[in-house]
Amino acid sequence: MAVRRLADEAVQPRGFAFTAENEAWAHQTIRKYPPGRQHSAVIPLLMRAQEQEGWVTRAAIEYVAKMLDMALIRVLEVATFYTQFQLAPVGTRAHVQVCGTTPCMLRGAGELIEVCKKKIHPEQFHTNEAGTLSWEEVECQGACVNAPMIMIFKDTYEDLTPERLEQIIDAFEAGRGHEVKPGPQIDRFNSAPASGFTTLTDESVVIKFPQTEEKVGRRGKAEAPGVAVPPTRAGRPVTDALETDPAIKSPSPVKARQRGEKAESVAPPQEDAIQADRVAEEAEVASRTRHHSDKPREESPSLRAAELKKQRAAPGMDLGPESPEREKTVEPVAEGGKRAPQGIERPAQPDDLQMIAGIGPRVEAVLHSLGVYTFAQIAAWGPAERAWVNSHLRFNGRIEREDWVRQAEVLARGGAEEYERVFGRKPR
C-alpha cells in the first residue's frame, strides 16, 4: 500500500465544525457505544466529516479527536489507513473511483481509466481545472459479474463502456448527476445474466406445496400469497431431552394414536433422527447384547448357573430364548406400573423387526432376548409393556418417539405394501 499523507498545508482549511444537523447526529452516534468505548465512533464521524467537506482535512481530524477525547495520533492513524478517506481535495461534483481488479480489468477497466485521464486529469487524485471532477483507481468494489464498473460517492455504475462513462462524466460535470440511474447501464436485471434469466423462469415448476391464503398487511391490503413450506430439520440436534419429545407436543401424535384419533395420519419419524438414535442405541447396548447373539458363547456351567440364579431373583426379568429355564410363554409381571410383554418361542421364520424405522441389528437382538419376534407382538404393546421394554433399551421414550407400535401394526396388517401406502415410503 502506498504511503498516505495529509494534503499540503496550502490547501488545508483553518478550521472545521460540524453543521448543527451533523453535530446532533455525531452525539447520537457516540451514545450508541457503551461507556469507555466511545472511540469506536471514530470511523463514522470521519466519514460524516468527509461527506460534509468532500474530503478529510487536518482540522476535521483534530475536531473528531477532541470530540471523542481521543489522542490525535490515533485518529490520524485511522484516517491514513483506510483508503475510503480522501486526504486531499477531490472533485466537488464527482470523484470517480474506477475498479482495477482482475475481473474489471479483463472486461475493459483500462479503457475506462483512459477516459478518466482524457476527461478529468492525466494523474489520479488531481481535479480538473474547474475543481469539479477527480478520479482514482481502486480495488474490488464487489460487483464482478457486472464488470467493468465505477463508483461515484456512494453509488455504483456497472456494465460500462468507454462511451457510456463519458456520458456519465459529462452529466456530473453539468450538475445533472442525479439524473443518471445507478446500477447496470445495460438491459440487465441487477446481477442476472446479461442474456436474460436462465433459471426460475417459471415459478410453477418449483412450487410444489399449496399456497396459503392471502396475508393481510397492516394497512388492510392483501399481500402476495405465501407458500406453505414444511419445516426443515437442518441444524436441529437430535436429543433425548424432554423438550424435544413429540409426546409432549400439542397436539401430540403419540397421544392421539393412544386415543385412537387419526391414527392413519401419524407418520414415522424423520430418517436422520432415527439414524442418530440407532447409532447411539447400538453403542449403548453393545456390551449388554453380546450374550444374546445367535451363536451361544462358551462359558463354564457354574458361571451360567450363577447367572440364571441372579436373573430369577430380578422381578419381571426375562431369561432369553436360549435359556433352559425359560417357559413356553412369559407371563406378565406387574412392577411399578410396568408389565413384561407376552413372549413366545422363537418361530422358524421371525419377522424382520428391522423393517420398523428405529430398530437396528442390536436392538433387534435385545427384543429377541425378550421373546419378541413378530410385528403382532409389538403392535399389541400397551403403556405398561412399552415402559418395561424401554427399561431394557436404556433410551427411555424411544418406542413412543419413533412410534414402533404403529409401524408394527401396519406391517402386521399388510406388510411392506401397506406400510408404503400409509407412511408414504418403503420400510427399511
Side-chain angles (χ1 to χ4, degrees):
M1 180 184 294
V3 177
R4 288 165 49 83
R5 296 187 175 91
L6 299 183
D8 190 87
E9 289 296 329
V11 298
Q12 293 285 354
R14 285 192 169 186
F16 171 85
F18 278 127
T19 62
E21 180 182 357
N22 285 341
E23 184 80 14
W25 176 90
H27 286 292
Q28 182 181 4
T29 301
I30 294 172
R31 286 195 296 270
K32 293 179 180 179
Y33 298 92
R37 301 293 182 181
Q38 289 82 5
H39 292 179
S40 299
V42 62
I43 290 180
L45 263 60
L46 286 175
M47 183 57 67
R48 182 55 66 100
Q50 176 170 286
E51 292 173 356
Q52 177 179 309
E53 300 294 304
W55 59 294
V56 177
T57 65
R58 179 189 296 277
I61 293 175
E62 295 171 349
Y63 187 91
V64 170
K66 184 177 180 180
M67 177 176 283
L68 295 176
D69 191 21
M70 192 172 177
L72 177 61
I73 185 61
R74 299 305 181 197
V75 183
L76 183 63
E77 287 173 342
V78 173
T80 55
F81 178 80
Y82 292 104
T83 57
Q84 69 194 44
F85 298 121
Q86 303 297 331
L87 303 180
V90 296
T92 57
R93 294 182 178 173
H95 178 66
V96 181
Q97 295 179 306
V98 184
C99 178
T101 312
T102 304
C104 283
M105 189 59 68
L106 292 174
R107 297 272 295 175
E111 298 178 7
L112 303 186
I113 292 175
E114 292 301 320
V115 170
C116 292
K117 290 180 178 180
K118 180 181 70 173
K119 301 283 291 185
I120 302 174
H121 194 279
E123 299 292 336
Q124 300 184 62
F125 303 107
H126 288 74
T127 61
N128 58 356
E129 293 183 1
T132 56
L133 301 173
S134 59
W135 74 278
E136 67 171 308
E137 180 183 348
V138 297
E139 294 296 326
C140 183
Q141 295 175 326
C144 304
V145 71
N146 300 78
M149 64 175 294
I150 66 169
M151 177 180 288
I152 299 178
F153 302 123
K154 291 185 177 181
D155 293 321
T156 60
Y157 304 85
E158 307 147 13
D159 296 301
L160 292 171
T161 62
E163 295 74 21
R164 180 54 182 160
L165 178 57
E166 289 188 12
Q167 296 172 2
I168 293 175
I169 292 175
D170 291 340
F172 275 93
E173 172 66 11
R176 296 183 290 103
H178 62 280
E179 298 178 1
V180 182
K181 183 180 178 181
Q185 301 299 300
I186 61 174
D187 186 18
R188 180 207 293 263
F189 178 77
N190 293 339
S191 295
S195 58
F197 292 113
T198 59
T199 59
L200 301 181
T201 56
D202 182 6
E203 291 187 359
S204 63
V205 177
V206 296
I207 297 178
K208 299 180 180 178
F209 301 101
Q211 292 188 339
T212 60
E213 60 184 8
E214 290 185 345
K215 295 173 58 180
V216 178
R218 289 181 295 178
R219 299 182 181 179
K221 296 181 179 180
E223 299 176 352
V227 177
V229 180
T232 176
R233 294 187 60 86
R236 298 182 185 179
V238 178
T239 70
D240 290 306
L242 182 64
E243 292 79 7
T244 60
D245 189 345
I248 66 173
K249 293 181 179 180
S250 181
S252 168
V254 175
K255 293 179 179 178
R257 184 195 56 72
Q258 293 172 353
R259 293 193 303 266
E261 300 174 4
K262 299 181 180 179
E264 290 291 334
S265 64
V266 178
Q270 295 291 333
E271 283 297 325
D272 53 353
I274 295 169
Q275 181 64 23
D277 274 352
R278 182 180 297 118
V279 173
E281 173 73 12
E282 291 175 3
E284 179 69 20
V285 304
S287 61
R288 302 175 56 250
T289 59
R290 283 195 296 268
H291 65 286
H292 294 304
S293 62
D294 293 335
K295 178 188 257 185
R297 62 179 181 176
E298 296 181 2
E299 56 188 0
S300 65
S302 59
L303 179 61
R304 181 60 176 165
E307 196 173 60
L308 293 175
K309 183 178 181 181
K310 181 179 178 181
Q311 290 178 344
R312 289 194 200 95
M317 179 63 72
D318 193 358
L319 300 179
E322 297 87 355
S323 171
E325 300 290 330
R326 184 181 180 89
E327 298 293 337
K328 292 296 182 181
T329 59
V330 178
E331 295 297 330
V333 179
E335 179 192 357
K338 301 178 182 179
R339 186 169 63 250
Q342 188 75 12
I344 63 173
E345 285 293 330
R346 183 186 183 95
Q349 186 63 38
D351 290 337
D352 183 5
L353 301 184
Q354 296 185 46
M355 293 177 67
I356 297 176
I359 297 181
R362 294 193 179 278
V363 176
E364 185 181 46
V366 172
L367 295 177
H368 286 177
S369 73
L370 302 178
V372 178
Y373 299 98
T374 67
F375 298 133
Q377 288 177 277
I378 299 177
W381 288 351
E385 288 84 3
R386 294 197 302 271
W388 190 84
V389 176
N390 265 323
S391 67
H392 283 260
L393 297 177
R394 292 189 182 180
F395 277 75
N396 207 5
R398 171 128 184 220
I399 297 173
E400 291 79 6
R401 183 173 62 255
E402 297 170 350
D403 205 6
W404 292 4
V405 175
R406 176 62 184 145
Q407 295 185 66
E409 178 187 340
V410 174
L411 287 168
R413 183 172 68 236
E417 294 182 0
E418 179 70 5
Y419 188 99
E420 184 175 4
R421 186 190 69 80
V422 173
F423 298 122
R425 67 177 184 82
K426 295 181 180 180
R428 291 185 66 252

